[in-house]
Amino acid sequence: MSDLCPVSTVAHSDSREVEGRAGESVTLTCKYDAKNGRLSACWNRGDVPLRGGCNNQIISTDGQTVTRVSSRYQLLGRLDEGDVSMTILNLTETDAGRYGCRVDIPGWFNDEKHHFDLTVDSGETLFK
């Protein structure tokens, strides 16, 4: 499966499992083909709603400016190349769960939606 989310004429949704370790960072990959210009995108905690936007938004971009609820959420990729991958810094066990990325593609029912199920290892090692 390619990490590139091509601009298409039908809605697209997929899901991936991602593992992270407490205290470290993890990146959830979401990209689109930017040959037709920059697009808006948002990241959601939980499932991305069927209709536009993100209902539990944690970070978003209009293609140039980034808005976030916490500095722990970052869009470190090249927005001008369609890379809206989200990095979560300093993971904690409470970060575990479902995340969704929505890329707003012009037209009816064209948005790209990608879901990630994040598990976070506590980082504790048990010795016997």
Side-chain angles (χ1 to χ4, degrees), residues 2-3 7 14 20-21 25 32-33 40 42-43 47 50 52-53 70-71 86 94 101 107-108 115:
S2 170
D3 284 338
V7 175
D14 62 17
R21 185 178 206 90
S25 299
Y32 65 90
D33 187 344
S40 296
C42 60
W43 280 89
D47 287 318
L50 292 175
S70 167
S71 61
M86 178 179 67
T94 60
C101 172
W108 291 89
H115 291 100

Side-chain angles (χ1 to χ4, degrees), residues 14-90:
D14 62 17
S15 181
R16 296 183 193 146
E17 292 186 15
V18 179
E19 294 180 21
R21 185 178 206 90
E24 296 181 0
S25 299
V26 68
T27 299
L28 308 179
T29 303
C30 187
K31 298 179 181 181
Y32 65 90
D33 187 344
K35 71 178 177 231
N36 294 320
R38 295 181 186 202
L39 299 174
S40 296
C42 60
W43 280 89
N44 193 77
R45 187 77 194 250
D47 287 318
V48 173
L50 292 175
R51 296 190 182 181
C54 291
N55 60 359
N56 196 5
Q57 185 171 292
I58 53 178
I59 193 166
S60 65
T61 180
D62 62 5
Q64 294 188 25
T65 304
V66 175
T67 304
R68 69 185 118 251
V69 298
S70 167
S71 61
R72 290 183 54 237
Y73 303 111
Q74 302 282 326
L75 298 183
L76 300 176
R78 300 269 323 249
L79 297 179
D80 61 327
E81 293 179 1
D83 186 351
V84 292
S85 300
M86 178 179 67
T87 300
I88 305 172
L89 306 175
N90 194 23

